[in-house]
Amino acid sequence: MKKIISVVGARPNFMKVAPIHRAFQEYSNECKHLIVHTGQHYDKKMSDDFFTALELPDPDYFLGIGSASHAVQTAKIMIEFEKILLAEKPDLVLVVGDVNSTVAAALTSVKMGIKLAHVEAGLRSNDREMPEEINRIVTDSISNFAFITEYSGKANLIKENFPKENIFFVGNTMIDSLKYALPKTEKSTILADNNLEKNNYVLVTLHRPSNVDDKKQLTEMMEMLKKLSEINKVYFPMHPRTKKTLVEFGLDSYLKVQNLILAEPANYIDFLTLMKSAKLIVTDSGGIQEETTYLQVPCITLRTSTERPVTIESGTNILVPPKADTAYEVIKNALENPKEGEIPQFWDGNAALRISEIICTNIFG
Ligand code: UD1
């Protein structure tokens, strides 16, 4: 029996690991799968609610790390995760995505001689000012196995001399979760609770440090959203980081703008409901570019680069620099002429099954 530990830490990790955990149950004679939650995200709204919605069992270990500077957060995770690895001696550690928990667990594992697999490997924005880009580059450079969601991932890894035979194009586990959870959105009351009509509101998420940690930039984005709310209702469930800086910068007056609804972070099912029924989505998130591509809802990404080019090449995503005037014009135009798109290869709900099969029958077979 081989032992595999998957690591989750922040909100976008939970939906990637939930289907992987389910898929490993199909191989319960060959592989035992454990989950370690670093506690990078710890709020009920950012963490616990996701475990419930995704039917994830309580993690086998919770490290309780919480928020801190990048160095402190990464270091604390390494210290605590090393203890788990010493006790459990897994055959493989599986990390997902690009958050600090990903790189911290990756470094800890390889330094203890434990094999490492990265799910969602090879994505590159080529913008090293993004902390996630550093996390991606470091994690991939020390991983033994790479599971990729789109072809650009393979091309990037090959360019960086990652051994070809250990790259597996499996699709997107985030889409596995989305497909699994979609029927549950029928019971969500989030639209009615907020007087939102299907196909008649713009859904917004912003939390990248480059957009929300600078007063001038956040003000510019809020002004743009205020203007947008004059032509279309805007619903903006705020990440705690964004809410915190909005208050710190004294920008609370935006909380009172008519037709611009600033709300608490939504749980997974409510957020899927909000996404699938939106007329258009404005975001700076990574995962939402993929989810909107699957749902075929137009998406405007307020960033200068994306690590997920397939969402632009064949999906509904449009990349726009986060400048108020340009962004407003592009959004207005997209509301009138929505971009259509196609679902990328293997974004079919079976990515996690491919991963568990490769691990249990190919790598350990
Ligand atoms: C992290 C990830 C980012 C991901 C995002 C999704 C890194 C470098 N960044 O960014 O890639 O897109 O999660 O949410 O790992 N906070 C709370 N409650 C929580 C979690 C955070 O209030 O449960 C607040 C804290 O004030 C904290 C701030 O949010 O200081 C930022 O949290 P942190 O985990 O450091 O980074 P994120 O911005 O969430």
Side-chain angles (χ1 to χ4, degrees), residues 143-196:
S143 288
N144 301 92
F145 307 102
F147 293 107
I148 61 162
T149 52
E150 60 166 88
Y151 270 118
S152 74
K154 185 169 183 176
N156 292 329
L157 289 172
I158 288 173
K159 231 189 292 170
E160 294 169 18
N161 298 320
F162 197 98
K164 244 189 205 151
E165 63 280 14
N166 289 341
I167 303 174
F168 303 96
F169 182 24
V170 290
N172 196 326
T173 62
M174 190 170 223
I175 303 303
D176 293 6
S177 273
L178 191 159
K179 270 191 90 169
Y180 186 81
L182 265 185
K184 296 189 192 176
T185 58
E186 300 306 324
K187 290 206 176 118
S188 167
T189 58
I190 187 91
L191 299 189
D193 294 347
N194 291 282
N195 285 323
L196 297 172

Side-chain angles (χ1 to χ4, degrees), residues 129-154:
E129 284 185 18
M130 286 178 76
E132 294 83 1
E133 180 74 352
I134 305 300
N135 294 344
R136 287 189 281 261
I137 294 169
V138 173
T139 303
D140 285 338
S141 72
I142 56 177
S143 288
N144 301 92
F145 307 102
F147 293 107
I148 61 162
T149 52
E150 60 166 88
Y151 270 118
S152 74
K154 185 169 183 176

Side-chain angles (χ1 to χ4, degrees), residues 79-344:
I79 293 167
E80 294 307 314
F81 190 53
E82 186 180 53
K83 295 177 192 162
I84 312 290
L85 295 182
L86 281 170
E88 291 286 351
K89 300 189 175 37
D91 300 284
L92 180 80
V93 168
L94 202 144
V95 293
V96 298
D98 55 16
V99 302
N100 287 343
S101 298
T102 311
V103 73
L107 276 168
T108 315
S109 307
V110 292
K111 292 213 168 191
M112 293 177 71
I114 298 165
K115 293 258 182 290
L116 177 70
H118 186 202
V119 173
E120 203 187 88
L123 297 181
R124 296 288 179 271
S125 66
N126 296 312
D127 174 1
R128 290 197 178 202
E129 284 185 18
M130 286 178 76
E132 294 83 1
E133 180 74 352
I134 305 300
N135 294 344
R136 287 189 281 261
I137 294 169
V138 173
T139 303
D140 285 338
S141 72
I142 56 177
S143 288
N144 301 92
F145 307 102
F147 293 107
I148 61 162
T149 52
E150 60 166 88
Y151 270 118
S152 74
K154 185 169 183 176
N156 292 329
L157 289 172
I158 288 173
K159 231 189 292 170
E160 294 169 18
N161 298 320
F162 197 98
K164 244 189 205 151
E165 63 280 14
N166 289 341
I167 303 174
F168 303 96
F169 182 24
V170 290
N172 196 326
T173 62
M174 190 170 223
I175 303 303
D176 293 6
S177 273
L178 191 159
K179 270 191 90 169
Y180 186 81
L182 265 185
K184 296 189 192 176
T185 58
E186 300 306 324
K187 290 206 176 118
S188 167
T189 58
I190 187 91
L191 299 189
D193 294 347
N194 291 282
N195 285 323
L196 297 172
E197 279 169 43
K198 216 169 172 327
N199 211 21
N200 200 16
Y201 61 91
V202 175
L203 177 66
V204 176
T205 83
L206 288 179
H207 76 281
R208 293 251 96 78
S210 57
N211 274 333
V212 307
D213 284 6
D214 176 72
K215 185 174 179 184
K216 188 167 163 280
Q217 178 60 16
L218 184 58
T219 311
E220 189 169 335
M221 291 298 97
M222 293 311 296
E223 271 305 305
M224 190 270 291
L225 294 177
K226 188 175 164 190
K227 196 167 157 197
L228 186 61
S229 72
E230 286 159 18
I231 56 167
N232 221 295
K233 197 175 237 184
V234 175
Y235 188 80
F236 183 178
M238 292 193 119
H239 188 286
R241 176 182 206 111
T242 314
K243 179 85 179 283
K244 195 168 95 183
T245 51
L246 194 81
V247 173
E248 269 172 25
F249 295 154
L251 302 173
D252 331 29
S253 60
Y254 290 102
L255 292 165
K256 297 186 201 94
V257 176
Q258 210 194 354
N259 271 343
L260 172 58
I261 308 168
L262 302 184
E264 293 290 308
N267 70 47
Y268 185 60
I269 304 299
D270 284 344
F271 195 72
L272 285 188
T273 313
L274 286 163
M275 277 198 292
K276 78 166 191 185
S277 308
K279 185 165 185 183
L280 180 130
I281 301 185
V282 177
T283 190
D284 61 6
S285 149
I288 292 171
Q289 298 173 58
E290 297 181 335
E291 290 167 327
T292 47
T293 283
Y294 181 81
L295 293 167
Q296 299 183 298
V297 175
C299 177
I300 305 291
T301 299
L302 296 179
R303 286 171 42 185
T304 48
S305 60
T306 180
E307 60 288 336
R308 292 159 158 95
V310 78
T311 63
I312 293 178
E313 288 150 16
S314 56
T316 50
N317 190 20
I318 300 175
L319 198 63
V320 186
K323 293 277 155 244
D325 290 350
T326 339
Y328 178 79
E329 286 308 319
V330 175
I331 295 167
K332 192 163 168 274
N333 184 44
L335 282 166
E336 287 155 13
N337 311 291
K339 182 181 176 195
E340 291 180 6
E342 284 168 11
I343 298 174

Side-chain angles (χ1 to χ4, degrees), residues 38-42 65-79 99-101 103-104 131 135 209 213 241 244:
T38 66
Q40 176 176 345
H41 285 178
Y42 46 87
I65 302 301
S67 301
S69 70
H70 283 260
V72 170
Q73 193 175 57
T74 308
K76 275 184 163 175
I77 296 169
M78 291 181 71
I79 293 167
V99 302
N100 287 343
S101 298
V103 73
N135 294 344
D213 284 6
R241 176 182 206 111
K244 195 168 95 183

